[in-house]
Amino acid sequence: MSASGGTKAIVAALGANLAIAASKFVAFAFSGSSSMLAEGVHSLADSGNQFLLLLGGKKAQREATPQHPFGYGRERYIYAFLVSIVLFSVGGMFAIYEGYEKIKHPHEVEHWYWPVGVLVFAIIAEGFSFRTAIKESNELRGSQTWSQFVRRAKAPELPVVLLEDFGALIGLVLALGGVGLALITGDGLWDGIGTLCIGILLILIALVLAAETKSLLLGEAAGTDEVKRIETAIVDGDTVTGIIHMRTLHLGPEELLVAAKIAVQHDDTATEVANAINAAEARIREAVPIARVIYLEPDIYSEAEAAKGPDREATPGGPAQQPTAGH
């Protein structure tokens, strides 16, 4: 996995979640708190999620094969989507079930110091993991807001870890509130309410992750800045006079496909066109290094054809970006 895959953040989250899960299950065994049980399962599910992200990153590094000629870069998207399913089913649904059972059959929280101590420890550990994820994300986020970063990031690992850690911290606060109110009032109903809130929170986060990862699985184009750099790199003003239409597609977080029909002079020789295409490909790779698969098709620009608007037969699905010229 590349540096932008957030391996450090994943490993930090994995270590924190394994330690927290063990402590939560111990606290549940001594106190009987359903919030502790729900939080323990949540941390265990998060640990499994980190294993899935690391596995996806490893599988994505496989070389291309005749059956998969564009490689396995999208494996990272598939495993990130699996994470959202695990978070929804194992974490969220289990917490809702436990919360419902505790509300229906409340009982007093015993040995209060166990759950309270574990929750304080968990908040500190999750805070460390969250801080690591924020630090790595800031290196890639630039001027984007956090919501924009989560929506637009092509590498799924950092947004997943960010949302998981953010949800875990809020869940710990909810669990602490539920246990605290149960101790203050002597009514175990509050412990169940806290557990139910944790389940709802996890499901909401899982739905956000599923929606964002689905978009990546369907195939997203390059970002606006990358598209502009590619367009600038293609046109040399001599042999390549313009772009008739262009498509970009992420084959993986660090691999971009570029396909374009380019306008050339009508009297250029085949050798001149071939040399111009080779030069354009080199300029594209220099401008956008992740553009590793490039297909450039030469054509003669026609004012009459341009006046007709986009040719949907030649460009199925319509234009993905605004072209510099029409055909």
Side-chain angles (χ1 to χ4, degrees):
M1 191 185 301
S2 72
S4 62
T7 307
K8 184 177 179 180
I10 298 173
V11 173
L14 176 60
N17 282 321
L18 287 174
I20 292 169
S23 63
K24 287 174 180 176
F25 283 125
V26 171
F28 164 71
F30 281 94
S31 68
S33 168
S34 66
S35 291
M36 283 293 92
L37 178 59
E39 275 294 311
V41 173
H42 172 198
S43 295
L44 198 61
D46 280 355
S47 300
N49 289 341
Q50 271 94 58
F51 276 118
L52 285 174
L53 292 176
L54 291 171
L55 180 61
K58 183 68 175 178
K59 285 184 171 291
Q61 294 176 356
R62 289 180 293 171
E63 295 293 331
T65 64
Q67 188 176 7
H68 298 92
F70 292 113
Y72 293 85
R74 288 194 181 183
E75 288 264 18
R76 287 165 66 178
Y77 300 153
I78 294 172
Y79 279 85
F81 188 75
L82 290 176
V83 164
S84 67
I85 296 174
V86 171
L87 192 63
F88 176 87
S89 58
V90 177
M93 296 305 293
F94 179 82
I96 286 180
Y97 171 77
E98 278 297 314
Y100 170 77
E101 286 295 315
K102 190 61 181 287
I103 292 172
K104 191 175 180 181
H105 306 290
H107 61 80
E108 187 177 353
V109 175
E110 302 173 352
H111 305 291
W112 62 269
Y113 42 85
W114 276 102
V116 171
V118 165
L119 286 171
V120 171
F121 163 74
I123 289 174
I124 295 172
E126 285 289 0
F128 169 76
S129 174
F130 193 40
R131 178 178 174 272
T132 303
I134 289 175
K135 184 177 179 181
E136 285 211 24
S137 298
N138 278 333
E139 296 177 2
L140 302 173
R141 187 167 63 95
S143 60
Q144 298 179 95
T145 64
W146 285 109
S147 61
Q148 289 173 336
F149 175 71
V150 170
R151 291 200 313 269
R152 298 175 184 176
K154 305 305 180 184
E157 292 84 3
L158 279 174
V160 168
V161 174
L162 277 170
L163 287 176
E164 276 190 349
D165 286 349
F166 178 70
L169 283 170
I170 295 179
L172 289 167
V173 172
L174 291 173
L176 188 59
V179 171
L181 288 172
L183 292 172
I184 293 171
T185 62
D187 188 353
L189 177 69
W190 290 106
D191 188 28
I193 293 174
T195 307
L196 193 64
C197 291
I198 291 169
I200 294 172
L201 171 69
L202 294 180
I203 287 176
L204 290 176
I205 291 175
L207 292 175
V208 171
L209 285 177
E212 295 303 322
T213 313
K214 174 190 172 185
S215 178
L216 293 170
L217 279 171
L218 288 174
E220 290 189 355
T224 303
D225 291 341
E226 291 174 324
V227 169
K228 290 179 179 178
R229 292 202 300 272
I230 292 170
E231 289 178 338
T232 301
I234 289 177
V235 179
D236 62 8
D238 183 15
T239 304
V240 182
T241 59
I243 301 172
I244 296 171
H245 61 74
M246 184 175 76
R247 295 288 181 275
T248 61
L249 178 68
H250 269 274
L251 302 174
E254 283 88 33
E255 189 167 16
L256 186 67
L257 181 148
V258 178
K261 179 174 283 192
I262 57 176
V264 298
Q265 303 287 356
H266 71 279
D267 55 352
D268 287 333
T269 66
T271 300
E272 289 173 332
V273 171
N275 290 336
I277 288 176
N278 292 334
E281 290 178 352
R283 292 194 301 270
I284 292 171
R285 291 191 172 97
E286 183 178 357
V288 182
I290 65 171
R292 300 176 185 173
V293 182
I294 303 173
Y295 298 107
L296 300 180
E297 177 187 355
D299 202 348
I300 306 300
Y301 178 73
S302 167
E303 290 286 353
E305 289 296 323
K308 297 178 182 179
D311 184 351
R312 298 185 68 87
E313 293 298 323
T315 58
Q321 299 95 20
Q322 289 293 328
T324 55
H327 180 67

